[in-house]
Amino acid sequence: MYDVIGVGFGPSNLALAIAAGERGAASPRALFLERQAKFGWHRGMLIEDATMQVSFLKDLVTLRNPASEFSFLTYLHGNGRLIDFINHKTLFPLRIEFHDYLEWAASKVADVVRYDREVQAVRPVRTNGVIDAFEVTSAGQGGTSVDVTRNLVLGVGLKPYLPAGVDRSDRVWHNQELLTRVRELDGRTPRRFVVVGAGQSAAEVTAYLHETFPKSEVCAVFSRFGYSPADDSPFANRVFDPDAVDEFYSAPEDVKQMVLDYHGNTNYSVVDGELIEALYSRQYRERVLGTQRLRTFNVSRVADVVETGEEATVTIESLSTGQKTELAADVVVYCTGYRPADPVLLLGEMGELCRRDQEGRVKVGRDYRVQTTSELQAGIYLQGGGTEHTHGLASSLLSNTAIRAGEIVESIVIAKATLETDADVPTVVPDFADSL
Ligand code: FDA
């Protein structure tokens, strides 16, 4: 019987594994199940010169425990780069470097992780009519296994989103798989790429393809007038602070929505200012040279993609004039973002026992525990995008990962202690969800 099983082992549950381990003798007994064969954080987008969008000080641990041996600074020190990093005078490491940091941290807690395990089902374990544990079924190359736990932490990340009617194919990609797909081109040079979207990923993909394929045309298509800069100014950045979670959580619904609307441009459909400048410079330089290879179709949408054997015919429609332009393209890359999956889908019939708000969204406590009916006493915790409506904009990002992981571990430890204290007392099932 584990105290906690974490489903997925991205940065969120990695931070949780560390936070659990750092409680020493009081550490909950934890296991993490990850479907990838080894640790990997958005590998398809590890573009060589892409940098982090968050300060390295918001690593897996520092905000919770600045003295932790799992900090980015400890990683740098161990790799002999601390002084070079300091001289670099940046808060934003290369994404590839941060990935290396995450891999390093993951290797230090390898004893609590099983890779190549996809969690496929979670079933109830009942005692005296109450669900007080879960049976977790996972599968991989090594077959199927079942583990039992008192608490579940779902850290399964977001799902790549494609517009309705668009399916992936050899010519139609989501940027999530960019580098894998580019490798599969095996040295072939596409004549034309179409990149859909105007967020950070779209801008990065546009710049990357333009640089990597100096003979290819790259057409960026988006409905905005132009790429818009991410608001990373200090006052706005406070929306990611640990305290902001408290304020957001207790705010009325309309205020929550107001904050999300005001500050969505810290993260969604926006681009790092330097990258915008760089893309503009490239396009302008090409105009001067008369060799325009980087084209932008603004206030436009991709209306249709028809694949023939040799290529794809992409119809781009201007939203202002309705004019349609047909382009023969070799590849269309959709950089259309990610969406949270229904977090309780894995729970099967137990999903019915999770409380939902008027809009059908799962109700989540301040400690990230899903609110359930009294029949379900074992804990289900959510990490990641599924809690944006309750805990705010930091939910799907790294900013608050260290603190959130600590809070979830705390909640699990308190619940365990309560259970042990009450062990001799006859079972009276409090409907804690109603009191929240
Ligand atoms: P994440 O998606 O990383 O991990 C989920 C894990 O669960 C995956 O490893 C997956 O394989 C596994 N999994 C899913 N279902 C499973 C199942 N049924 N069984 C077993 N395993 C399962 N944020 C930020 O703050 N600063 C930044 O600079 C960036 N940069 C950035 C770049 C790119 C390219 C992307 C796409 C995103 C970012 N982000 C970001 C946001 C990003 O969501 C965030 O950095 C973390 O990936 C969130 O970590 P999680 O562990 O919650 O999800």
Side-chain angles (χ1 to χ4, degrees), residues 6-14 33-36 39-42 45-46 51-54 95 117-120 155-158 175 201 204 267 338 346 383-385 395-399 401 404:
V7 183
F9 200 61
S12 297
N13 271 345
L14 169 55
L33 300 168
E34 166 57 48
R35 68 178 169 202
Q36 297 184 81
F39 183 86
W41 177 63
H42 304 304
M45 281 292 286
L46 288 181
T51 57
M52 295 300 291
Q53 308 298 306
V54 70
R95 202 182 293 148
R117 307 303 308 164
E118 176 161 39
V119 173
Q120 297 188 326
V156 293
L158 303 174
N175 69 278
S201 292
E204 285 181 10
N267 181 40
Y338 297 78
L346 267 179
Q383 292 236 61
S395 298
S396 66
L397 302 174
L398 298 172
S399 324
T401 304
R404 181 178 64 217

Side-chain angles (χ1 to χ4, degrees), residues 380-399:
I380 304 159
Y381 293 83
L382 299 184
Q383 292 236 61
T387 58
E388 190 172 89
H389 65 289
T390 48
H391 291 68
L393 277 163
S395 298
S396 66
L397 302 174
L398 298 172
S399 324

Side-chain angles (χ1 to χ4, degrees), residues 263-285:
H263 296 292
N265 69 343
T266 50
N267 181 40
Y268 293 115
S269 306
V270 287
V271 182
D272 181 62
E274 279 179 27
L275 181 52
I276 296 177
E277 302 291 335
L279 281 171
Y280 192 86
S281 296
R282 280 187 210 195
Q283 196 175 56
Y284 186 76
R285 189 173 62 231

